[in-house]
Amino acid sequence: ISICRDLPNIEVITFSVNGISDLEPLNQCRNLSELYLRKNNIASLNELFYLKNLPRLRVLWLSENPCCGLDPHRYRMTVLRNLPSLQKLDNQAVTEEELSQALVDGEEITAPPARRSVENGCPESTESSAAESTTETESELLNFSLEETNKIREELGMKPVPRDKFSSFSPRDADCNRKKRNNVLNAILLLMKELDAEGLEIVQQTVGRRLQAFRKKELQEE
């Protein structure tokens, strides 16, 4: 997620199921409009402090993080009190009545959370391991991640990824190396949106050469 510090103009970020615990790198993404952080390791709602100054943020998916707690009403009210510009929270539309109620039932967040020692992207605590061991099926996780990835690809004018081609970079992979590969893939997709036509042509040529090399290698192995 630290890559976001270098992407101030990014508009859509999807980092669901990635062991993220710290939202500070998003603080300068002033053009961010959609943020998908479902099923991470965000422990405190005080992390919302880093999102309060993002004027264009309209969609936030934060469910299934430890910060949601056991009281869904208090959680939703606190999020909406601190991010009143949201139009959708956790795939549910925000109403004017909720925004008014949030001023009464929500908690105002005025300071960032205390720093933690766990690094983003590959936490080693037993809590993170337990968070990953849920009853949600592999198929459900893949479908959700595939939907988010294809949303980014659509923004970039790219063709959607077929489901049978998606399992190779499933965010459900337990080992840290696979998670890092996921993060690299997301970062590449996000960075591509910052490129002009000339830059995209260079990427296309480089990818073409890499694919040819892989295919040649596969033929030799056969």
Side-chain angles (χ1 to χ4, degrees):
I1 193 173
S2 60
I3 187 69
C4 295
R5 292 193 181 96
D6 300 321
L7 299 171
N9 296 319
I10 198 69
E11 297 179 11
V12 178
I13 293 177
T14 171
F15 280 140
S16 294
V17 201
N18 268 293
I20 291 169
S21 60
D22 178 12
L23 301 185
E24 186 275 332
L26 304 176
N27 192 39
Q28 300 301 318
C29 298
R30 304 282 294 177
N31 288 328
L32 187 62
S33 62
E34 298 182 28
L35 177 59
Y36 300 92
L37 292 168
R38 173 181 172 271
K39 209 173 184 62
N40 277 287
N41 295 325
I42 301 170
S44 171
L45 285 176
N46 281 36
E47 294 289 345
L48 295 174
F49 178 83
Y50 299 117
L51 307 181
K52 293 182 69 171
N53 294 322
L54 305 183
R56 299 186 179 181
L57 187 61
R58 297 294 181 267
V59 177
L60 174 65
W61 200 322
L62 192 61
S63 63
E64 297 180 81
N65 275 278
C67 65
C68 298
L70 300 177
D71 187 344
H73 177 75
R74 177 185 174 278
Y75 153 71
R76 189 171 176 88
M77 291 296 98
T78 297
V79 174
L80 295 181
R81 176 165 182 173
N82 291 277
L83 302 175
S85 296
L86 288 181
Q87 297 176 354
K88 185 177 288 189
L89 172 61
D90 298 337
N91 206 32
Q92 181 179 342
V94 175
T95 66
E96 292 294 333
E97 291 77 10
E98 284 185 308
L99 291 174
S100 298
Q101 191 64 35
L103 296 175
V104 178
D105 296 346
E107 178 183 345
E108 179 72 18
I109 294 173
T110 59
R115 285 285 141 231
R116 293 172 296 280
S117 60
V118 177
E119 295 184 1
N120 282 342
C122 189
E124 298 179 356
S125 67
T126 56
E127 290 183 3
S128 66
S129 298
E132 291 177 0
S133 300
T134 67
T135 57
E136 187 168 28
T137 66
E138 176 78 8
S139 178
E140 288 172 330
L141 283 170
L142 285 177
N143 286 337
F144 184 85
S145 186
L146 177 60
E147 178 184 346
E148 289 188 336
T149 297
N150 281 338
K151 185 177 182 63
I152 292 180
R153 294 174 69 89
E154 182 181 357
E155 291 283 335
L156 296 169
M158 302 168 64
K159 292 182 179 180
V161 179
R163 193 187 187 289
D164 61 346
K165 301 294 185 181
F166 192 76
S167 59
S168 62
F169 47 88
S170 165
R172 184 64 170 174
D173 296 327
D175 62 283
C176 189
N177 287 335
R178 297 294 291 273
K179 285 184 179 181
K180 287 181 179 179
R181 187 175 68 173
N182 258 0
N183 291 337
V184 170
L185 176 63
N186 281 327
I188 290 172
L189 290 173
L190 295 172
L191 286 167
M192 284 178 63
K193 196 170 183 180
E194 303 291 314
L195 297 176
D196 56 14
E198 182 180 358
L200 289 172
E201 287 179 359
I202 294 173
V203 171
Q204 183 181 37
Q205 293 170 5
T206 303
V207 170
R209 288 193 294 267
R210 290 277 291 170
L211 285 173
Q212 288 179 357
F214 277 121
R215 288 166 182 162
K216 182 177 180 181
K217 182 178 179 181
E218 288 175 353
L219 291 174
Q220 291 174 345
E221 291 176 350
E222 292 176 357

